[in-house]
Amino acid sequence: MTLRVGTMRLACMFSSILLFGAAGLLLFISLQDPTELIPQQVPGVKFNIRLQQPHHDFPPGSSQGGDFKALTERGTQDLSSRAPRGLHLLVPDQPQGHLNMGARQRPRQRRRRLLIKKMPSAAATLANSSAGPFVRPAPRALDGHWLSLHHRQQERKRVMRDACAKYRSSSSRRAVTPRHVSRIFVEDRHRVLYCEVPKAGCSNWKRVLMVLAGLASSTADIHHNTVHYGGALKRLDTFDRQGILHRLSTYTKMLFVREPFERLVSAFRDKFEHPNSYYHPVFGKAILARYRANASREALRTGSGVRFPEFVQYLLDVHRPVGMDIHWDHVSRLCSPCLIDYDFVGKFESMEDDANFFLRLIHAPQNLTFPRFKDRHSQEARTTARIAHQYFAQLPVPQRQRTYDFYYMDYLMFNYSKPFADLY
């Protein structure tokens, strides 16, 4: 009898130990950080120009109606096979320590978990910096031309960042608002954001975006009014806050700029030296009434015939009779480059090289190149440095200096030389 009781006690104790052990194991598993159960992303070399594939889903915050599925993160293992011809890509090599998910990785995983917990939430991080997979080109596979274009991008972005750090250090700490992105156009299929800078190739860039979006088969088929007034392209400020921040952090952001004096003269020639049903009555009449002594009744009635010195007087007047306009506003105000971290900075002066380099980086169709035709007044010569000098020669030296001061940040941020030797 005593032996039977002892055996029952041992059996009960063994069962209790098994139950406690099972419960402890379940509790341990439930307390594990889920990130430890997933293979960690291998840290790679960040290439400043993000290569994108066409994307046909609509991301969060889209202005399109309906509910959309959350975007899944794409791996980088197949990017090399889809790279444009002549631009071979290498996914960064995986360190040997990451090949083994055994006990040796546990301390690393726990340190990583601590870092993740200490990091600010996604909403608190800078919305202007690009996230997502980055890849690097294989240096041995890049020919000299493409490599020089890549180095050119690196230098342009460095100069821009240095100027922002020196003169606009507080900008990076501000929150992005719809006003800051009101000039940015969205192309969801190739995940591109383009900040429009008028008189720097913006009409043709909009044509390219429309072809990329599948809205047209060729850039040559798109009329000027369709480009600017058709409403085919979405602006970033039409999305909700989540949609804005998502695109800013995951899409490839680019802008194209132009030498400021040449851009200003180009705008003046386009808007005031040709018939215009908006700029003559709105700007021309106000400029002539304020800055031309003894203006004729006909000039005041139509607003036609504004001269370049009168236009510059209006531009530099802190009490302008009519407001600013995007065609001669600063790039630093139009695109907020000190607040938004642009991935690609192109220049009008090297448009063909820069534009076609960018199109290959985003894997645009091979038959799509940047159009070379002049959008308006095609019979008239493009505004060059020589033509811009002829217009600015009409101004006294102090007024030229004030105009240079007006555009000083654009000259500094985009590394343009002083257009006249007597400027300081």
mmCIF file of all heavy atoms in Angstrom, residues 195-234:
data_model
loop_
_atom_site.group_PDB
_atom_site.id
_atom_site.type_symbol
_atom_site.label_atom_id
_atom_site.label_comp_id
_atom_site.label_asym_id
_atom_site.label_seq_id
_atom_site.Cartn_x
_atom_site.Cartn_y
_atom_site.Cartn_z
ATOM 1 N N CYS A 195 9.567 67.647 -59.184
ATOM 2 C CA CYS A 195 9.260 69.019 -58.796
ATOM 3 C C CYS A 195 9.395 69.916 -60.013
ATOM 4 O O CYS A 195 10.472 70.011 -60.620
ATOM 5 C CB CYS A 195 10.180 69.510 -57.681
ATOM 6 S SG CYS A 195 9.713 71.162 -57.100
ATOM 7 N N GLU A 196 8.321 70.582 -60.351
ATOM 8 C CA GLU A 196 8.273 71.418 -61.551
ATOM 9 C C GLU A 196 8.972 72.750 -61.311
ATOM 10 O O GLU A 196 8.605 73.512 -60.423
ATOM 11 C CB GLU A 196 6.812 71.675 -61.919
ATOM 12 C CG GLU A 196 6.613 72.649 -63.049
ATOM 13 C CD GLU A 196 5.173 73.083 -63.188
ATOM 14 O OE1 GLU A 196 4.480 73.193 -62.153
ATOM 15 O OE2 GLU A 196 4.736 73.327 -64.332
ATOM 16 N N VAL A 197 9.984 73.032 -62.129
ATOM 17 C CA VAL A 197 10.643 74.334 -62.161
ATOM 18 C C VAL A 197 10.368 74.924 -63.539
ATOM 19 O O VAL A 197 10.964 74.484 -64.524
ATOM 20 C CB VAL A 197 12.155 74.228 -61.906
ATOM 21 C CG1 VAL A 197 12.812 75.602 -62.015
ATOM 22 C CG2 VAL A 197 12.424 73.624 -60.534
ATOM 23 N N PRO A 198 9.462 75.899 -63.656
ATOM 24 C CA PRO A 198 9.143 76.464 -64.964
ATOM 25 C C PRO A 198 10.374 77.048 -65.651
ATOM 26 O O PRO A 198 11.283 77.558 -64.992
ATOM 27 C CB PRO A 198 8.112 77.552 -64.639
ATOM 28 C CG PRO A 198 7.473 77.083 -63.369
ATOM 29 C CD PRO A 198 8.582 76.434 -62.593
ATOM 30 N N LYS A 199 10.391 76.957 -66.954
ATOM 31 C CA LYS A 199 11.491 77.418 -67.808
ATOM 32 C C LYS A 199 12.763 76.590 -67.617
ATOM 33 O O LYS A 199 13.861 77.048 -67.918
ATOM 34 C CB LYS A 199 11.795 78.907 -67.605
ATOM 35 C CG LYS A 199 10.573 79.808 -67.614
ATOM 36 C CD LYS A 199 9.655 79.546 -68.783
ATOM 37 C CE LYS A 199 10.300 79.800 -70.140
ATOM 38 N NZ LYS A 199 9.355 79.521 -71.268
ATOM 39 N N ALA A 200 12.606 75.370 -67.130
ATOM 40 C CA ALA A 200 13.745 74.448 -67.008
ATOM 41 C C ALA A 200 13.359 73.083 -67.567
ATOM 42 O O ALA A 200 13.711 72.042 -67.010
ATOM 43 C CB ALA A 200 14.190 74.328 -65.555
ATOM 44 N N GLY A 201 12.602 73.099 -68.667
ATOM 45 C CA GLY A 201 12.205 71.857 -69.313
ATOM 46 C C GLY A 201 10.980 71.199 -68.731
ATOM 47 O O GLY A 201 10.738 70.008 -68.983
ATOM 48 N N CYS A 202 10.152 71.949 -67.978
ATOM 49 C CA CYS A 202 9.048 71.309 -67.257
ATOM 50 C C CYS A 202 7.965 70.769 -68.192
ATOM 51 O O CYS A 202 7.362 69.728 -67.904
ATOM 52 C CB CYS A 202 8.455 72.266 -66.228
ATOM 53 S SG CYS A 202 7.584 73.680 -66.929
ATOM 54 N N SER A 203 7.699 71.439 -69.310
ATOM 55 C CA SER A 203 6.650 70.946 -70.223
ATOM 56 C C SER A 203 7.014 69.569 -70.768
ATOM 57 O O SER A 203 6.179 68.649 -70.795
ATOM 58 C CB SER A 203 6.444 71.932 -71.373
ATOM 59 O OG SER A 203 6.007 73.186 -70.900
ATOM 60 N N ASN A 204 8.242 69.415 -71.204
ATOM 61 C CA ASN A 204 8.648 68.117 -71.739
ATOM 62 C C ASN A 204 8.767 67.057 -70.654
ATOM 63 O O ASN A 204 8.523 65.865 -70.906
ATOM 64 C CB ASN A 204 9.965 68.256 -72.503
ATOM 65 C CG ASN A 204 9.756 68.825 -73.901
ATOM 66 O OD1 ASN A 204 8.661 68.729 -74.469
ATOM 67 N ND2 ASN A 204 10.787 69.430 -74.459
ATOM 68 N N TRP A 205 9.129 67.453 -69.442
ATOM 69 C CA TRP A 205 9.165 66.471 -68.363
ATOM 70 C C TRP A 205 7.757 65.972 -68.032
ATOM 71 O O TRP A 205 7.554 64.784 -67.738
ATOM 72 C CB TRP A 205 9.836 67.047 -67.113
ATOM 73 C CG TRP A 205 11.278 66.689 -67.034
ATOM 74 C CD1 TRP A 205 12.351 67.524 -67.039
ATOM 75 C CD2 TRP A 205 11.819 65.362 -66.964
ATOM 76 N NE1 TRP A 205 13.522 66.813 -66.985
ATOM 77 C CE2 TRP A 205 13.234 65.490 -66.934
ATOM 78 C CE3 TRP A 205 11.267 64.089 -66.934
ATOM 79 C CZ2 TRP A 205 14.074 64.378 -66.875
ATOM 80 C CZ3 TRP A 205 12.115 62.982 -66.882
ATOM 81 C CH2 TRP A 205 13.485 63.131 -66.840
ATOM 82 N N LYS A 206 6.771 66.850 -68.102
ATOM 83 C CA LYS A 206 5.399 66.398 -67.870
ATOM 84 C C LYS A 206 4.956 65.437 -68.964
ATOM 85 O O LYS A 206 4.228 64.465 -68.703
ATOM 86 C CB LYS A 206 4.458 67.596 -67.800
ATOM 87 C CG LYS A 206 4.616 68.442 -66.541
ATOM 88 C CD LYS A 206 3.634 69.597 -66.569
ATOM 89 C CE LYS A 206 3.801 70.498 -65.372
ATOM 90 N NZ LYS A 206 2.872 71.653 -65.411
ATOM 91 N N ARG A 207 5.389 65.698 -70.190
ATOM 92 C CA ARG A 207 5.083 64.757 -71.274
ATOM 93 C C ARG A 207 5.687 63.381 -70.979
ATOM 94 O O ARG A 207 5.046 62.343 -71.179
ATOM 95 C CB ARG A 207 5.631 65.292 -72.599
ATOM 96 C CG ARG A 207 4.863 66.485 -73.156
ATOM 97 C CD ARG A 207 5.420 66.887 -74.520
ATOM 98 N NE ARG A 207 4.590 67.904 -75.141
ATOM 99 C CZ ARG A 207 4.804 69.209 -75.039
ATOM 100 N NH1 ARG A 207 5.847 69.643 -74.356
ATOM 101 N NH2 ARG A 207 3.994 70.080 -75.625
ATOM 102 N N VAL A 208 6.927 63.372 -70.522
ATOM 103 C CA VAL A 208 7.577 62.105 -70.198
ATOM 104 C C VAL A 208 6.810 61.380 -69.093
ATOM 105 O O VAL A 208 6.580 60.161 -69.170
ATOM 106 C CB VAL A 208 9.043 62.347 -69.773
ATOM 107 C CG1 VAL A 208 9.656 61.079 -69.182
ATOM 108 C CG2 VAL A 208 9.875 62.819 -70.958
ATOM 109 N N LEU A 209 6.385 62.100 -68.068
ATOM 110 C CA LEU A 209 5.629 61.474 -66.979
ATOM 111 C C LEU A 209 4.314 60.899 -67.480
ATOM 112 O O LEU A 209 3.869 59.834 -67.017
ATOM 113 C CB LEU A 209 5.357 62.497 -65.867
ATOM 114 C CG LEU A 209 6.570 63.008 -65.080
ATOM 115 C CD1 LEU A 209 6.118 63.979 -63.997
ATOM 116 C CD2 LEU A 209 7.352 61.861 -64.447
ATOM 117 N N MET A 210 3.671 61.585 -68.417
ATOM 118 C CA MET A 210 2.410 61.077 -68.958
ATOM 119 C C MET A 210 2.621 59.786 -69.739
ATOM 120 O O MET A 210 1.801 58.862 -69.666
ATOM 121 C CB MET A 210 1.754 62.151 -69.830
ATOM 122 C CG MET A 210 1.248 63.348 -69.032
ATOM 123 S SD MET A 210 0.595 64.693 -70.057
ATOM 124 C CE MET A 210 -0.905 63.930 -70.672
ATOM 125 N N VAL A 211 3.721 59.693 -70.466
ATOM 126 C CA VAL A 211 4.034 58.442 -71.173
ATOM 127 C C VAL A 211 4.352 57.337 -70.173
ATOM 128 O O VAL A 211 3.890 56.194 -70.311
ATOM 129 C CB VAL A 211 5.200 58.656 -72.158
ATOM 130 C CG1 VAL A 211 5.646 57.324 -72.765
ATOM 131 C CG2 VAL A 211 4.799 59.624 -73.267
ATOM 132 N N LEU A 212 5.133 57.657 -69.147
ATOM 133 C CA LEU A 212 5.453 56.665 -68.113
ATOM 134 C C LEU A 212 4.190 56.153 -67.428
ATOM 135 O O LEU A 212 4.095 54.972 -67.067
ATOM 136 C CB LEU A 212 6.390 57.281 -67.069
ATOM 137 C CG LEU A 212 7.844 57.533 -67.491
ATOM 138 C CD1 LEU A 212 8.579 58.283 -66.395
ATOM 139 C CD2 LEU A 212 8.559 56.220 -67.807
ATOM 140 N N ALA A 213 3.214 57.038 -67.257
ATOM 141 C CA ALA A 213 1.975 56.659 -66.571
ATOM 142 C C ALA A 213 1.007 55.919 -67.481
ATOM 143 O O ALA A 213 -0.059 55.479 -67.028
ATOM 144 C CB ALA A 213 1.304 57.909 -66.008
ATOM 145 N N GLY A 214 1.360 55.785 -68.770
ATOM 146 C CA GLY A 214 0.469 55.096 -69.694
ATOM 147 C C GLY A 214 -0.644 55.970 -70.230
ATOM 148 O O GLY A 214 -1.609 55.458 -70.812
ATOM 149 N N LEU A 215 -0.533 57.289 -70.062
ATOM 150 C CA LEU A 215 -1.578 58.207 -70.516
ATOM 151 C C LEU A 215 -1.387 58.616 -71.977
ATOM 152 O O LEU A 215 -2.278 59.222 -72.572
ATOM 153 C CB LEU A 215 -1.598 59.460 -69.630
ATOM 154 C CG LEU A 215 -1.828 59.207 -68.141
ATOM 155 C CD1 LEU A 215 -1.656 60.492 -67.347
ATOM 156 C CD2 LEU A 215 -3.229 58.630 -67.921
ATOM 157 N N ALA A 216 -0.237 58.348 -72.549
ATOM 158 C CA ALA A 216 0.053 58.649 -73.946
ATOM 159 C C ALA A 216 1.119 57.675 -74.423
ATOM 160 O O ALA A 216 1.891 57.136 -73.623
ATOM 161 C CB ALA A 216 0.525 60.093 -74.101
ATOM 162 N N SER A 217 1.144 57.448 -75.719
ATOM 163 C CA SER A 217 2.116 56.506 -76.271
ATOM 164 C C SER A 217 3.405 57.187 -76.692
ATOM 165 O O SER A 217 4.437 56.537 -76.811
ATOM 166 C CB SER A 217 1.515 55.773 -77.470
ATOM 167 O OG SER A 217 1.111 56.707 -78.475
ATOM 168 N N SER A 218 3.354 58.505 -76.915
ATOM 169 C CA SER A 218 4.535 59.236 -77.367
ATOM 170 C C SER A 218 4.472 60.664 -76.856
ATOM 171 O O SER A 218 3.393 61.261 -76.784
ATOM 172 C CB SER A 218 4.604 59.223 -78.899
ATOM 173 O OG SER A 218 5.579 60.133 -79.375
ATOM 174 N N THR A 219 5.631 61.219 -76.527
ATOM 175 C CA THR A 219 5.677 62.610 -76.061
ATOM 176 C C THR A 219 5.298 63.581 -77.175
ATOM 177 O O THR A 219 4.784 64.669 -76.901
ATOM 178 C CB THR A 219 7.083 62.955 -75.549
ATOM 179 O OG1 THR A 219 8.052 62.694 -76.582
ATOM 180 C CG2 THR A 219 7.432 62.139 -74.319
ATOM 181 N N ALA A 220 5.522 63.200 -78.426
ATOM 182 C CA ALA A 220 5.227 64.101 -79.546
ATOM 183 C C ALA A 220 3.733 64.298 -79.756
ATOM 184 O O ALA A 220 3.318 65.263 -80.412
ATOM 185 C CB ALA A 220 5.865 63.551 -80.821
ATOM 186 N N ASP A 221 2.913 63.404 -79.191
ATOM 187 C CA ASP A 221 1.470 63.478 -79.407
ATOM 188 C C ASP A 221 0.752 64.366 -78.396
ATOM 189 O O ASP A 221 -0.469 64.529 -78.484
ATOM 190 C CB ASP A 221 0.862 62.065 -79.335
ATOM 191 C CG ASP A 221 1.451 61.129 -80.376
ATOM 192 O OD1 ASP A 221 1.888 61.632 -81.427
ATOM 193 O OD2 ASP A 221 1.482 59.907 -80.127
ATOM 194 N N ILE A 222 1.462 64.920 -77.431
ATOM 195 C CA ILE A 222 0.813 65.637 -76.326
ATOM 196 C C ILE A 222 0.920 67.139 -76.545
ATOM 197 O O ILE A 222 2.022 67.701 -76.579
ATOM 198 C CB ILE A 222 1.442 65.245 -74.975
ATOM 199 C CG1 ILE A 222 1.515 63.722 -74.842
ATOM 200 C CG2 ILE A 222 0.633 65.830 -73.825
ATOM 201 C CD1 ILE A 222 2.271 63.234 -73.633
ATOM 202 N N HIS A 223 -0.205 67.805 -76.671
ATOM 203 C CA HIS A 223 -0.255 69.242 -76.929
ATOM 204 C C HIS A 223 0.077 70.032 -75.669
ATOM 205 O O HIS A 223 -0.117 69.549 -74.544
ATOM 206 C CB HIS A 223 -1.647 69.622 -77.442
ATOM 207 C CG HIS A 223 -1.749 71.020 -77.969
ATOM 208 N ND1 HIS A 223 -2.174 72.082 -77.184
ATOM 209 C CD2 HIS A 223 -1.460 71.538 -79.183
ATOM 210 C CE1 HIS A 223 -2.149 73.196 -77.909
ATOM 211 N NE2 HIS A 223 -1.727 72.895 -79.130
ATOM 212 N N HIS A 224 0.550 71.254 -75.856
ATOM 213 C CA HIS A 224 0.941 72.112 -74.733
ATOM 214 C C HIS A 224 -0.191 72.297 -73.723
ATOM 215 O O HIS A 224 0.024 72.194 -72.508
ATOM 216 C CB HIS A 224 1.395 73.482 -75.270
ATOM 217 C CG HIS A 224 1.709 74.474 -74.186
ATOM 218 N ND1 HIS A 224 2.941 74.543 -73.571
ATOM 219 C CD2 HIS A 224 0.944 75.430 -73.595
ATOM 220 C CE1 HIS A 224 2.924 75.494 -72.659
ATOM 221 N NE2 HIS A 224 1.734 76.055 -72.663
ATOM 222 N N ASN A 225 -1.400 72.571 -74.208
ATOM 223 C CA ASN A 225 -2.525 72.797 -73.283
ATOM 224 C C ASN A 225 -2.894 71.534 -72.526
ATOM 225 O O ASN A 225 -3.323 71.594 -71.367
ATOM 226 C CB ASN A 225 -3.736 73.324 -74.051
ATOM 227 C CG ASN A 225 -3.541 74.758 -74.519
ATOM 228 O OD1 ASN A 225 -2.668 75.464 -74.018
ATOM 229 N ND2 ASN A 225 -4.337 75.185 -75.486
ATOM 230 N N THR A 226 -2.736 70.371 -73.169
ATOM 231 C CA THR A 226 -2.991 69.111 -72.470
ATOM 232 C C THR A 226 -1.995 68.914 -71.338
ATOM 233 O O THR A 226 -2.346 68.435 -70.250
ATOM 234 C CB THR A 226 -2.905 67.933 -73.459
ATOM 235 O OG1 THR A 226 -3.796 68.161 -74.545
ATOM 236 C CG2 THR A 226 -3.244 66.621 -72.775
ATOM 237 N N VAL A 227 -0.743 69.294 -71.594
ATOM 238 C CA VAL A 227 0.305 69.144 -70.581
ATOM 239 C C VAL A 227 -0.006 69.980 -69.349
ATOM 240 O O VAL A 227 0.056 69.500 -68.208
ATOM 241 C CB VAL A 227 1.675 69.559 -71.171
ATOM 242 C CG1 VAL A 227 2.719 69.662 -70.070
ATOM 243 C CG2 VAL A 227 2.122 68.570 -72.230
ATOM 244 N N HIS A 228 -0.355 71.251 -69.562
ATOM 245 C CA HIS A 228 -0.460 72.189 -68.439
ATOM 246 C C HIS A 228 -1.874 72.352 -67.889
ATOM 247 O O HIS A 228 -2.038 72.732 -66.724
ATOM 248 C CB HIS A 228 0.091 73.551 -68.850
ATOM 249 C CG HIS A 228 1.577 73.553 -69.061
ATOM 250 N ND1 HIS A 228 2.469 73.480 -68.019
ATOM 251 C CD2 HIS A 228 2.323 73.589 -70.199
ATOM 252 C CE1 HIS A 228 3.708 73.497 -68.492
ATOM 253 N NE2 HIS A 228 3.647 73.556 -69.809
ATOM 254 N N TYR A 229 -2.884 72.093 -68.702
ATOM 255 C CA TYR A 229 -4.258 72.367 -68.248
ATOM 256 C C TYR A 229 -5.168 71.150 -68.315
ATOM 257 O O TYR A 229 -6.345 71.236 -67.985
ATOM 258 C CB TYR A 229 -4.866 73.501 -69.091
ATOM 259 C CG TYR A 229 -3.964 74.708 -69.206
ATOM 260 C CD1 TYR A 229 -3.470 75.119 -70.447
ATOM 261 C CD2 TYR A 229 -3.575 75.429 -68.069
ATOM 262 C CE1 TYR A 229 -2.617 76.210 -70.553
ATOM 263 C CE2 TYR A 229 -2.724 76.522 -68.174
ATOM 264 C CZ TYR A 229 -2.246 76.898 -69.422
ATOM 265 O OH TYR A 229 -1.403 77.979 -69.529
ATOM 266 N N GLY A 230 -4.638 70.013 -68.747
ATOM 267 C CA GLY A 230 -5.475 68.828 -68.874
ATOM 268 C C GLY A 230 -5.758 68.112 -67.564
ATOM 269 O O GLY A 230 -6.700 67.337 -67.469
ATOM 270 N N GLY A 231 -4.930 68.357 -66.544
ATOM 271 C CA GLY A 231 -5.153 67.723 -65.240
ATOM 272 C C GLY A 231 -4.892 66.229 -65.224
ATOM 273 O O GLY A 231 -5.378 65.527 -64.338
ATOM 274 N N ALA A 232 -4.104 65.736 -66.175
ATOM 275 C CA ALA A 232 -3.855 64.290 -66.231
ATOM 276 C C ALA A 232 -2.924 63.825 -65.126
ATOM 277 O O ALA A 232 -3.065 62.708 -64.615
ATOM 278 C CB ALA A 232 -3.275 63.918 -67.601
ATOM 279 N N LEU A 233 -1.969 64.658 -64.755
ATOM 280 C CA LEU A 233 -0.997 64.285 -63.727
ATOM 281 C C LEU A 233 -1.463 64.765 -62.362
ATOM 282 O O LEU A 233 -1.958 65.884 -62.218
ATOM 283 C CB LEU A 233 0.371 64.890 -64.056
ATOM 284 C CG LEU A 233 1.054 64.364 -65.321
ATOM 285 C CD1 LEU A 233 2.304 65.178 -65.616
ATOM 286 C CD2 LEU A 233 1.406 62.886 -65.179
ATOM 287 N N LYS A 234 -1.268 63.922 -61.362
ATOM 288 C CA LYS A 234 -1.652 64.273 -59.998
ATOM 289 C C LYS A 234 -0.527 65.057 -59.318
ATOM 290 O O LYS A 234 0.650 64.779 -59.518
ATOM 291 C CB LYS A 234 -1.956 63.016 -59.182
ATOM 292 C CG LYS A 234 -3.058 62.154 -59.759
ATOM 293 C CD LYS A 234 -3.428 61.022 -58.830
ATOM 294 C CE LYS A 234 -2.299 60.000 -58.689
ATOM 295 N NZ LYS A 234 -2.090 59.217 -59.894
#
